[in-house]
Amino acid sequence: MPTMQPQNASFARELVLLLVLATLWGSSYTFIKIGVETIPPVTLIAARTLIAGGLLLAVLRYRRVRLPRDHATWRRFLLQACLNSVVPFTLIAWAEQSVDAGLAVILNSATPIFTFLLTVLITRHEQVTSRKLCGVMAGLAGICLVIGIEALGGLGENLMAQLAIILATICYAGAAIFDRNFKGLDPAVPAAGSLISGAVILLPVSLVVDRPWELDPSAASMLALLGLSAFSTALAFVIYFRLVQTLGSVGTTSQAYLRVPIGVAIGLVFLGESLSPTAWIGLVCVMSGVAAMTVPAKAGTTKARSA
């Protein structure tokens, strides 16, 4: 009986992790929406980075993995924190006070587009092929079909909040490319380092701006914060840094396309929603787009190229 080749099994594992990452980050928008109901954005994100960073430190200590001590690496952690947590997390949390979580997902799903453009125009660190370009286009088309064009009808409302999400999306694209600087490190190390750096930046701002000791958050917001910190941040960051090393920055950010069909699936199972025929076609387009940007250029037995 034929068995799966080790390289095929390894690449299949990376695709499963890509799906897990999309699920973890896809759920973060709902967590944020519930959290900002009674917790101000800066304090929510300060707590998010602090809790997630603390969890990762505990994991590293248990595994007896030490964080780097040189200043150069910590400067990179600090820059990564700004690109991947401090700025985008706060912008999205602020925006979701007036923008629906679903629309935030749609706007933020443009991350692979900006990563692709930054790669083409600036870094050129990954091979840019027509297949990846087709994958970008297929993913966008799939999102439109899954959500429905009418879902974008409110795009002009709350313009500043929506522009904030777009800016957060550009930050994520830059972060995916900058992550190449951490190649060779245990994936939990840059995740913990950047989150700790983010907490160091945000906590003083929270204390001054929000006076968190005067807040009275609801139980739902606190549970959302815990879920956001433990699953959508700590666990997701470890997977994210690993995938950047195995699938590359463009391939990893393609998980943004998976957030939408995952949200639709949750609605089907738990909310009794239904999909139109065009939405099913859209799901196929999304999956095709992800495959086009992540499957290695050579035969399936070829190992995925690192960023």
Side-chain angles (χ1 to χ4, degrees):
M1 181 176 178
T3 58
M4 181 176 289
Q5 296 295 321
Q7 291 180 336
N8 278 348
S10 176
F11 183 68
R13 182 169 59 248
E14 302 309 304
L15 290 183
V16 170
L17 287 174
L18 189 72
L19 179 62
V20 172
L21 180 61
T23 303
L24 292 172
W25 274 349
S27 63
S28 69
Y29 299 92
T30 299
F31 285 141
I32 291 172
K33 190 69 176 179
I34 298 172
V36 294
E37 289 178 354
T38 58
I39 304 175
V42 173
T43 297
L44 179 74
I45 302 308
R48 174 185 185 180
T49 54
L50 179 63
I51 295 171
L55 289 172
L56 288 178
L57 277 180
V59 171
L60 289 174
R61 185 179 180 83
Y62 175 77
R63 294 172 53 203
R64 297 182 179 179
V65 176
R66 294 186 177 182
L67 290 173
R69 296 185 178 181
D70 59 289
H71 292 166
T73 300
W74 277 97
R75 282 195 295 269
R76 290 195 292 270
F77 286 162
L78 187 64
L79 179 55
Q80 179 66 20
C82 293
L83 289 173
N84 213 30
S85 57
V86 174
V87 176
F89 284 0
T90 305
L91 286 173
I92 291 173
W94 174 79
E96 284 203 51
Q97 293 179 111
S98 56
V99 172
D100 289 341
L103 184 55
V105 174
I106 297 170
L107 294 173
N108 206 211
S109 68
T111 300
I113 301 296
F114 291 110
T115 305
F116 183 84
L117 292 176
L118 289 175
T119 299
V120 171
L121 299 175
I122 301 176
T123 64
R124 301 182 180 180
H125 67 277
E126 292 184 21
Q127 184 180 6
V128 178
T129 65
S130 57
R131 186 180 65 170
K132 286 184 178 179
L133 179 59
C134 290
V136 169
M137 299 304 177
L140 282 179
I143 287 173
C144 290
L145 289 169
V146 169
I147 297 298
I149 301 299
E150 66 277 0
L152 297 177
L155 196 60
E157 302 173 4
N158 304 312
L159 181 60
M160 292 304 297
Q162 292 162 11
L163 290 176
I165 296 174
I166 293 296
L167 180 57
T169 302
I170 297 173
C171 287
Y172 283 142
I177 294 173
F178 186 75
D179 287 341
R180 295 166 55 243
N181 291 290
F182 304 115
K183 188 175 182 180
L185 292 177
D186 184 296
V189 170
S194 63
L195 286 169
I196 292 167
S197 298
V200 169
I201 295 171
L202 287 170
L203 280 174
V205 179
S206 169
L207 293 175
V208 173
V209 174
D210 294 331
R211 301 171 65 88
W213 58 88
E214 296 180 352
L215 300 176
D216 184 23
S218 66
S221 290
M222 291 300 295
L223 288 173
L225 171 59
L226 292 176
L228 181 67
S229 303
F231 300 108
S232 298
T233 309
L235 178 59
F237 265 42
V238 173
I239 296 174
Y240 169 76
F241 278 99
R242 172 197 170 104
L243 290 176
V244 167
Q245 297 180 19
T246 56
L247 296 181
S249 55
V250 173
T252 301
T253 55
S254 67
Q255 53 77 29
Y257 289 142
L258 292 171
R259 297 174 194 169
V260 175
I262 286 171
V264 172
I266 291 173
L268 286 170
V269 174
F270 297 104
L271 303 178
E273 298 173 347
S274 61
L275 284 179
S276 66
T278 55
W280 286 112
I281 298 173
L283 285 172
V284 175
C285 290
V286 169
M287 298 306 296
S288 299
V290 171
M293 286 191 292
T294 56
V295 174
K298 295 182 180 180
T301 56
T302 302
K303 186 177 180 180
R305 185 180 305 166
S306 296

